[in-house]
Amino acid sequence: MSYIDPDQFHGALNSTITFLKDADNQAELTAGGVVPATLQTKLGGLLADQETKKSTRDKAKTAHTTAQGAFADGAAKNYAAYSSVIEAVAGALGKATPKGKQVLGYRHHLNANAHKQAAAPSPAADSPKP
């Protein structure tokens, strides 16, 4: 079976149920030998099942977003203390030694800018343009 986007499927269920509820469509379907109410009931059950699963998914996404934010905030909050430990270890080993460089490398690979000073703006950027 191929992949079916669950959000699109949810929308298609809603659209089909709305279509079946339309009086003009009901008349044509009934004339064609189909009982719209029976189909609405069947699709309503499918929709209820999908809505239950969608609700569970949406709650999990919200929980994940909240947890990820707390995790990221924790990293930002704890980075300064971590950086201080790295400085102490590298200093004790000698920053220019292979082991000191190794320890400094752990921090370097974090892609963090907290230990780097922002470059000062150039004087030309502050002066008015002629």
Side-chain angles (χ1 to χ4, degrees):
M1 173 185 249
S2 63
Y3 176 77
I4 297 173
D5 182 288
D7 289 303
Q8 287 180 342
F9 180 61
H10 184 264
L13 284 169
N14 274 317
S15 296
T16 306
I17 290 168
T18 301
F19 179 87
L20 292 172
K21 287 181 178 181
D22 180 87
D24 290 336
N25 296 334
Q26 286 182 353
E28 288 185 46
L29 289 167
T30 301
V34 174
V35 180
T38 302
L39 299 176
Q40 287 177 47
T41 300
K42 184 170 188 164
L43 293 178
L46 298 175
L47 181 62
D49 182 61
Q50 282 301 112
E51 286 179 341
T52 298
K53 290 174 171 85
K54 183 179 185 298
S55 176
T56 300
R57 188 251 348 234
D58 291 349
K59 286 177 186 174
K61 284 172 77 173
T62 299
H64 176 266
T65 299
T66 301
Q68 183 62 30
F71 187 51
D73 289 347
K77 178 182 171 190
N78 294 323
Y79 177 81
Y82 171 76
S83 185
S84 293
V85 170
I86 292 297
E87 288 293 324
V89 172
L93 295 171
K95 290 183 179 182
T97 67
K99 287 187 179 182
K101 288 179 182 180
Q102 178 182 354
V103 171
L104 290 170
Y106 298 145
R107 178 179 64 191
H108 177 75
H109 291 290
L110 292 176
N111 296 323
N113 290 322
H115 66 280
K116 297 176 185 175
Q117 293 294 328
S122 65
D126 293 334
S127 61
K129 303 277 185 222

